[in-house]
Amino acid sequence: MDWNAFIRNHRLARAIALSVLLAGFLVWWRLGGDPGPVRATRELSGVIESVHEKVYLVRLDSGQTVRVLRSVSAKAGDRVRVTGTTYASGGESFFLLETGVPAD
């Protein structure tokens, strides 16, 4: 067995496999994962309903309940401000405004 040829082909196979995976991800992102351009951004307020390990459940003043990542320390019942972003695809994302004590 020629070890140099085996190693060369093995590296080539890994490079091709990585390229195929990356190309597949890019196709998926373009067809289904890309939310599109931002249509609107608004500032909302609400109350934290429950605290989980990495997220807060926030009930907005409109009655909608959203999940936001824990970027600040807060407890259930605290009033918070949230930024809501609407995308061309119709999707929405919500983030806490940086107020309070940074989360650990």
Side-chain angles (χ1 to χ4, degrees):
M1 175 179 262
D2 183 12
W3 286 105
N4 287 334
F6 177 76
I7 291 171
R8 210 175 22 250
N9 290 336
H10 186 65
R11 287 182 185 164
L12 179 62
R14 282 193 290 173
I16 290 172
L18 182 61
S19 298
V20 167
L21 288 174
L22 182 59
F25 174 75
L26 291 174
V27 167
W28 169 81
W29 178 256
R30 190 67 190 141
L31 294 178
D34 184 11
V38 174
R39 278 204 178 152
T41 301
R42 61 201 186 283
E43 189 175 312
L44 308 163
S45 61
V47 176
I48 295 177
E49 281 191 335
S50 60
V51 178
H52 298 277
E53 184 178 338
K54 296 188 182 206
V55 297
Y56 294 125
L57 284 180
V58 176
R59 177 159 310 268
L60 301 175
D61 292 340
S62 65
Q64 181 182 8
T65 301
V66 297
R67 263 190 326 180
V68 294
L69 291 175
R70 289 181 62 177
S71 58
V72 297
S73 288
K75 58 187 182 304
D78 285 353
R79 190 143 192 83
V80 293
R81 293 183 318 167
V82 177
T83 300
T85 304
T86 305
Y87 297 95
S89 66
E92 291 182 309
S93 63
F94 298 92
F95 299 96
L96 280 178
L97 289 175
E98 297 297 327
T99 57
V101 180
D104 292 331

